[in-house]
Amino acid sequence: MSDALINGLAGAGGGIIAQLITYPLQTVNTRQQTERDEKKVKRKHGTLEQMCQVVKNEGWGRLYSGLAPSIVGTACSQGVYYYFYQIFRDRAEAIARENKRNGIGDGSVGMISSLVVAALSGCTNVLLTNPIWVVVTRMQTHTKNSKKSQPSHSSIAPDEKALDSLECPPYGTGHVIQELYDEAGIWGFWKGVFPTLIMVSNPSMQFMLYETMLKKLKRKRALVKQGDTGVTALEVFLLGALAKLGATVVTYPLLVVKSRLQAKQSTTGDKRHHYEGTLDAILKMIRYEGLHGFYKGMSTKIVQSVLAAAVLFMIKEELVRGARMLLTKGGTRTGRTRPA
């Protein structure tokens, strides 16, 4: 089994587990990003309060709305990303070794090369998986009115009360797919792809920071422990968290724009809530909401992203290590049983 395949499968497994743990935070964060508030108007509820409001008014299930396509998207995204990352990384390392033989460099992959590798992997991932995330965003931002929140008036006719008590039809994956296709055809599934492609800089920064810190830690560990470069799961967890924190702070405004474009657009006469494209969304957000609009829900996103990234890195490294140990043991056994 190739390193690319091992890393791809490990990345998918780690991504799914991280997604399950942090999904309620992700749902609340997506709703925060798509809120339309006037300038200088701050949200009335914090993250925990908003989660409680969702549970109270819509039920626990709404915190996990879109979970099924999200898990598929996470598995595909992490698998595609790590698979192509390892392929591009191997190529970059081969070029670095060749340059060393020609007297150029020390044979290691530098920061710029790591950034290019991560960017190429990210662009491939975005183009292949964007339709899944459009569906997930639609499902996360879809709200339904709680029966408890509906006013009760004695003047309402019995037939009207019966209609009010009826549940809305489930807003499932198939419904969203049909809705998107009816709105914009096949291209509707690539809404927000432009800011998402620019956001490739987020994982690029994340992995560059992570690998740089990991390399320095291993180098320091080798000096202290005489060649031992092993790192613990906790250290990988902390490095992943720090790397994601730095990347998220820089690229968050693009994430808000992407969520606005992928969420269902307003069909009323209020053009403030309808975006024709990336530039139109940016200009309207600046005009009607100010710079504050680009950082809505950022604290929630930092908590969710840092926790998810840390869990992802920790589990991925453990899965890769375990897979390599199993393959090594399997190869050793095969060699021992092979006839002379």
Side-chain angles (χ1 to χ4, degrees), residues 17-279:
I17 294 174
Q19 186 83 335
L20 289 172
I21 293 173
T22 64
Y23 196 80
L25 285 172
Q26 185 179 331
T27 299
V28 171
N29 179 239
T30 304
R31 292 191 176 198
Q32 290 171 346
Q33 291 169 351
T34 54
E35 287 175 350
R36 270 74 160 178
D37 295 328
E38 296 295 328
K39 291 182 180 180
K40 299 181 180 179
V41 176
K42 296 183 179 179
R43 285 186 298 111
K44 297 179 180 179
H45 303 293
T47 301
L48 291 179
E49 290 176 298
Q50 198 161 353
M51 289 179 70
C52 291
Q53 287 292 324
V54 172
V55 173
K56 179 181 177 180
N57 297 329
E58 304 176 53
W60 282 96
R62 299 307 297 177
L63 289 176
Y64 289 91
S65 181
L67 179 61
S70 182
I71 289 177
V72 173
T74 298
C76 292
S77 293
Q78 297 299 333
V80 168
Y81 185 87
Y82 281 111
Y83 180 79
F84 283 99
Y85 181 85
Q86 192 62 46
I87 289 176
F88 294 139
R89 179 78 183 183
D90 290 344
R91 180 59 182 164
E93 289 176 349
I95 293 173
R97 288 193 297 268
E98 182 65 25
N99 288 338
K100 184 180 180 180
R101 284 194 290 268
N102 295 331
I104 304 173
D106 60 357
S108 63
V109 178
M111 280 192 182
I112 301 299
S113 296
S114 295
L115 184 63
V116 172
V117 166
L120 289 173
S121 306
C123 287
T124 305
N125 174 38
V126 166
L127 293 173
L128 292 177
T129 64
N130 192 77
I132 301 174
W133 298 116
V134 176
V135 172
V136 171
T137 300
R138 285 291 180 100
M139 296 182 74
Q140 288 177 333
T141 55
H142 177 74
T143 60
K144 65 178 182 179
N145 293 326
S146 171
K147 289 184 290 184
K148 295 179 181 179
S149 64
Q150 294 176 355
S152 177
H153 300 290
S154 58
S155 60
I156 298 178
D159 290 342
E160 292 179 356
K161 287 183 179 180
L163 288 173
D164 287 341
S165 65
L166 291 175
E167 289 286 341
C168 294
Y171 194 69
T173 305
H175 183 98
V176 178
I177 292 173
Q178 185 62 52
E179 182 181 76
L180 276 166
Y181 186 79
D182 291 341
E183 284 180 13
I186 194 68
W187 296 111
F189 295 95
W190 273 269
K191 286 186 176 183
V193 72
F194 183 68
T196 308
L197 283 171
I198 300 175
M199 277 180 59
V200 162
S201 58
N202 183 292
S204 299
M205 290 180 195
Q206 176 187 344
F207 279 94
M208 183 181 67
L209 290 171
Y210 172 75
E211 291 204 343
T212 301
M213 290 188 292
L214 183 63
K215 188 183 294 184
K216 289 183 178 179
L217 178 61
K218 286 184 175 181
R219 192 177 300 161
K220 185 177 181 180
R221 184 67 49 78
L223 293 174
V224 175
K225 296 189 176 181
Q226 299 179 350
D228 181 11
T229 60
V231 293
T232 65
L234 178 60
E235 288 170 333
V236 172
F237 182 94
L238 294 174
L239 290 179
L242 287 172
K244 188 63 178 181
L245 176 60
T248 299
V249 170
V250 175
T251 61
Y252 189 77
L254 287 169
L255 181 61
V256 176
V257 174
K258 178 200 72 113
S259 295
R260 294 286 183 95
L261 291 171
Q262 293 180 345
K264 189 172 182 178
Q265 299 291 306
S266 173
T267 56
T268 63
D270 191 352
K271 293 185 178 181
R272 294 178 302 171
H273 300 164
H274 183 81
Y275 306 125
E276 298 295 336
T278 302
L279 183 59

